[in-house]
Each structure stands twice: as C-alpha cells, then as structure tokens.
Amino acid sequence: MTESTERQTTRAVSALPIATQLFDLLLIVVTLYLSISYFYEWWLPYQLGSAIVSLAFLLAGNYAGIYRADVSRSFTGTALKVFELWWLVILTALLAAYLFKVSDYFSRAAVLTWIVVTPCALVLFRVVLALAQRTGFLGLRPSVQHAVIVGSPARAWRLASLLKGRAGGALQFVGYYSPSYDPPIANDAEGHLNHLGSLSDLRERAMAGDYDVVCIAMEDGAGKSLGQVISDLAESPAKVLCIPDLLTFTLLDTRVMDIAGIPCVSVFEQPLDGFGRLVKRAEDLVLGSLILLIMALPMLIIAIGIKLSSPGPVFYRQRRFGLQGEEILVWKFRSMTVCDDVEDFSQARRDDPRVTPFGAFLRRSSLDELPQFFNVMAGSMSIVGPRPHPIALSQQYGYDVEGYRLRQSVKPGITGWAQVNGWRGETDTRYKMEQRVLHDLHYIRNWSLWFDIKIIAITLLRGFNHENAY
C-alpha cells in the first residue's frame, strides 16, 4: 500500500464513525416513513417522533460506545448492543408518549412495524459495512490497532495467541518487550511475535506514537514493577491495558465488574445467566418437544427391537455429573448385555463383547442417545453442551486435565462442539480427553443461540454415524 493510499484509508476509517451515525439517523427516519407512507400521511407528529428517537439513539449509542472502534467487542456483541439500545430508547419514547397523551396521534400498526423493522435494518447495515471492510469495497478497511506486549517470552506468546483469535483481526501484535533479560523466543506461526527490546525501548517507541495498545502481562518480580512501567507510559498516546493472571483467560471468559466503586475481575461464574439462560431453556423446550414428537414412532420401534433381540430392560440409567457437579440420571436405550451402573465402570471399546448386535447398530447411529431428550425436557440436560461423562471417568480426569471441571458450569448436552469436531467415543488417552475439554470450553466461552443452531445443523448434516461411535 502506497503512502497516499494509506492516508486515504486512514481518513476513511476516521470518518467512518460519523458516517455510521448519519446513516443510522437516516435509517430510523426512513423506516418510519416506509412503515406509514402507504396508509397514512407523513405529517408533523411522525416527523418529530422520528427525529427525537433517532437523536436519542445516537446519544445513547455514543454513550455506549457502539460508534467507537473497540477490539474488545465482537460483531455479535455490537449487534446485541444495538438491539438493547434500540429497545431502551423505544420503551422510553413510548412511556413519554403515554405520559404526555400524544399516543393517539400515531398508528399503532405503523409504529409496531417500525419498532420491529428498524433494529434489523441497523444490524443489516453493519453486516454490509463489515463485508465492505473485509473486501476493501470503496477503499474501506477494518480499523486495525497495533499492539505490543510487556511480559516474559512464554507469557507474551500465550497472550498473543489468545487475543488474536478473539479480536477478529482488529488487533495486530507487532511484538513484545521483555521486562527482564529473558532470551527471546521464536516467532509464532504467523510471524507476528517479535522480540522488540527492553522497557526503555518501549517507552521511547510508545512516546513516539508507534503503538495503539500496550498490554502489560508481567509476573511479580520481573524487572521493573508494574507501577513503574505504567508511570513510564503515562504520557504516551497508547492505550495501556493491565492483563491479570493469564490462567483466567484460558478457561472461561472473564469480565470486569464494579463492586462499591472497586473494579473486580469475575473469573468463575455462570457463563449462561439471566437472559441467556432463558433463551437456552426456550431452545431446549421448543426443539426437544419437536424432536420427541417426530421420533416417537422410531423410538417405539427401537424399544421393540431391544426387547426382541436380547433379554433385559429397554432403558438403562447411569449416574453422571450435571450442572455444577450435581449427580443426574442419564437415560439411554440399552445397547449392552450388562447395564448396571457399577463402580468399576469401563468405557465401551471397539468390538466390545458386552455390546449386543442390535445395540451395535444403535451405538453406531447414536440412536441409543434419543431417550436423553427426556432429560432435556426435565431440565437436567440441554440439546447442545459438553457430553456428561460417567462419574468414574470424571473422577479419573477431574483433577488431571486442566479446566475439566469447568465443563460443569453449563448443563451437559446430547451433542456438542467436541462431538461435531470428531472428539467423541472412547477417551483411552489423556490427549483425547484434553482435546474434548478444549472444545467444550471453547463452546462455553463463545455460546450463542446461533452457535447452538450451527452445532445442531452440523450434527444433522454429517449424520449420526462416526468412526469413534462403537
């Protein structure tokens, strides 16, 4: 990119927040106009109402920071914030219209259409804008912030690996500065992690405005104190971020909260809380009811096949750990001749003699898991989530595999991110369990309704057969 082109791109990026605000204002007014123009006249109450609401939305948006380039917020987070702010502004406007007795001037059907369509249009505009930035359309490019890390070589590489994926390309790591005389490490796979020098070098470069963000991830007793480093960077134009113990970033998402004016980092808490928990429960009830309705006849045929093919009960229940480590009874179709929940549990292996011929078919096709939808309806499981392991297996790996018990911070599921990525079946090695845990924690950190739908779609498209299902 030439210097003139880079200056043009910089000007376009800096003007983008203003253009976005103007377009949001235009969208809010135009959507109301389109909602009423076919049936009603575009008269003064509608004009004033749209102007007041659009200006209120812009003020709220600026206060909430949705027009500011923020590497800590994903596109999904921005979209949710747009919906949140819109409904906040609209509810305030409706309350004001009621109190001032002017609601009779507006068509309820038109206003309801406007209320529903506008936030969708605002988010769609941001989708188009993101695609334009990604493709470079009209010279638009994503706003990239150049960052460096202060920390030991191992900590610097670890933090860069974690943040690069979560920042969606908006954060570009130039390299790292060692707080002591640790030897530099090799560049990472993408060649973005270079050893840049000592802390004195950092101060000089930061004061010159070479960096947008400085991430301090120092260990105790490593060269200068944290206070000294912050003091050195106090007059630089860079944003200085202090990163707590990196262990908190490898397990579950953390968030900063304010308690009596004191900033605190929340490390272990329910990832699905409040509105998210309600959404996931509604998803389980709606999809679970639909699936049980569709699969009622196949489940009856399977039950008959089990009774005819081998002696014993149709179902078996096994004790497993659920949400917050609470014991639950998980239902399955019986696929083995031995079905007791015994203490000396051993996982099913390939060509396991305990598996019946009909049971082998059920296990290969995962049809033996269908009764777990009863667990979903009862609330002890979800359709999507980390698979519940038998208690004996959980006790075996619970303290050996890092982050294993954090899987229990959400309800276990029938299918999950680990399963659709091939990490299912027997976990006869520590590596297999570690990979399953890593995928489960990725799911917990990044949960959304759309992520659940994606996992369910992959499960259905790939079918239930898998080479590790036996």
Side-chain angles (χ1 to χ4, degrees):
M1 181 183 292
T2 65
E3 185 177 351
S4 60
T5 304
E6 187 172 356
R7 284 198 299 268
Q8 292 173 3
T9 301
T10 303
R11 286 197 296 269
V13 169
S14 62
L16 198 56
I18 298 176
T20 303
Q21 294 178 62
L22 292 176
F23 205 88
D24 279 353
L25 191 151
L26 182 64
L27 269 179
I28 294 172
V29 175
V30 168
T31 50
L32 179 59
Y33 175 78
L34 295 176
S35 298
I36 70 162
S37 60
Y38 188 79
F39 299 101
Y40 305 99
E41 183 182 352
W42 178 247
W43 66 316
L44 186 61
Y46 291 108
Q47 297 170 16
L48 287 176
S50 62
I52 292 172
V53 169
S54 58
L55 290 175
F57 182 82
L58 292 188
L59 289 174
N62 277 285
Y63 180 79
I66 64 172
Y67 299 111
R68 184 176 65 244
D70 188 353
V71 297
S72 66
R73 180 183 295 144
S74 65
F75 176 81
T76 302
T78 300
L80 291 175
K81 182 61 69 174
V82 167
F83 274 101
E84 179 183 327
L85 291 175
W86 172 253
W87 283 105
L88 177 64
V89 169
I90 282 298
L91 290 176
T92 304
L94 292 176
L95 178 61
Y98 173 77
L99 292 177
F100 289 102
K101 298 181 179 180
V102 296
S103 58
D104 290 340
Y105 292 108
F106 300 92
S107 163
R108 285 167 174 76
V111 170
L112 181 61
T113 302
W114 178 56
I115 290 174
V116 173
V117 170
T118 302
C120 299
L122 292 171
V123 172
L124 180 61
F125 161 62
R126 282 159 173 78
V127 172
V128 174
L129 183 61
L131 290 174
Q133 288 182 308
R134 182 174 298 180
T135 58
F137 183 67
L138 297 179
L140 294 175
R141 296 289 180 185
S143 178
V144 177
Q145 296 190 2
H146 297 91
V148 292
I149 300 171
V150 180
S152 66
R155 281 200 165 207
W157 181 87
R158 192 176 180 189
L159 179 60
S161 300
L162 288 168
L163 291 186
K164 276 192 296 188
R166 298 191 188 188
L171 201 61
Q172 179 179 333
F173 284 96
V174 180
Y176 76 99
Y177 289 87
S178 296
S180 59
Y181 295 100
D182 297 326
I185 59 175
N187 292 350
D188 67 353
E190 297 182 3
H192 294 315
L193 194 61
N194 300 306
H195 183 250
L196 302 175
S198 64
L199 293 180
S200 59
D201 300 320
L202 167 63
R203 184 180 186 280
E204 182 180 342
R205 296 286 300 277
M207 292 296 292
D210 291 345
Y211 309 128
D212 301 305
V213 181
V214 177
C215 300
I216 303 177
M218 293 169 51
E219 297 175 333
D220 293 337
K224 285 187 177 182
S225 68
L226 176 61
Q228 288 176 309
V229 176
I230 293 176
S231 178
D232 288 345
L233 300 173
E235 297 180 3
S236 76
K239 179 189 293 185
V240 179
L241 305 177
C242 293
I243 311 297
D245 185 353
L246 294 182
L247 178 62
T248 63
F249 291 87
T250 62
L251 301 178
L252 296 178
D253 260 348
T254 61
R255 67 184 179 92
V256 177
M257 61 173 58
D258 186 291
I259 300 178
I262 301 174
C264 305
V265 178
S266 173
V267 179
F268 299 108
E269 63 176 64
Q270 285 283 345
L272 289 176
D273 208 352
F275 184 68
R277 183 185 298 181
L278 292 177
V279 170
K280 189 159 181 64
R281 184 58 181 153
E283 169 198 334
D284 288 337
L285 290 175
V286 172
L287 294 181
S289 300
L290 182 62
I291 291 172
L292 281 176
L293 185 64
I294 295 173
M295 298 303 295
L297 181 58
M299 289 176 70
L300 177 61
I301 295 173
I302 291 171
I304 295 173
I306 293 172
K307 292 298 293 184
L308 294 178
S309 61
S310 63
V314 171
F315 302 101
Y316 92 97
R317 297 179 301 171
Q318 188 177 58
R319 293 182 303 119
R320 302 192 177 192
F321 285 130
L323 180 65
Q324 298 302 314
E326 180 182 355
E327 284 193 13
I328 61 174
L329 288 174
V330 174
W331 288 72
K332 295 183 71 172
F333 279 124
R334 181 177 61 85
S335 58
M336 293 183 174
T337 55
V338 178
C339 61
D340 294 333
D341 186 12
V342 294
E343 294 295 331
D344 59 341
F345 162 83
S346 61
Q347 287 183 284
R349 295 172 172 80
R350 194 178 299 276
D351 301 322
D352 196 315
R354 297 173 298 170
V355 178
T356 66
F358 188 63
F361 162 72
L362 295 179
R363 297 177 75 91
R364 281 196 305 272
S365 59
S366 297
L367 293 174
D368 61 324
E369 311 283 357
L370 284 176
Q372 288 169 31
F373 282 99
F374 294 122
N375 288 103
V376 172
M377 301 303 293
S380 60
M381 290 182 63
S382 288
I383 295 177
V384 181
R387 285 293 299 157
H389 294 152
I391 288 179
L393 195 65
S394 295
Q395 292 172 340
Q396 176 184 349
Y397 288 107
Y399 294 101
D400 290 340
V401 177
E402 181 181 355
Y404 181 92
R405 293 186 179 274
L406 290 174
R407 301 169 69 256
Q408 297 169 3
S409 60
V410 298
K411 290 181 183 179
I414 298 176
T415 186
W417 186 237
Q419 281 64 46
V420 298
N421 281 280
W423 301 105
R424 58 169 298 181
E426 184 183 6
T427 50
D428 54 343
T429 66
R430 180 190 177 90
Y431 176 75
K432 290 181 180 179
M433 182 59 75
E434 287 175 341
Q435 289 301 311
R436 183 179 291 189
V437 170
L438 285 174
H439 283 77
D440 287 338
L441 296 184
H442 174 82
Y443 166 77
I444 295 171
R445 284 195 302 264
N446 298 281
W447 176 85
S448 69
L449 177 62
W450 309 116
F451 198 9
D452 275 2
I453 293 174
K454 175 182 177 180
I455 292 172
I456 293 172
I458 294 174
T459 302
L460 295 174
L461 290 174
R462 292 183 179 176
F464 294 95
N465 288 286
H466 192 273
E467 62 179 3
N468 291 334
Y470 46 79

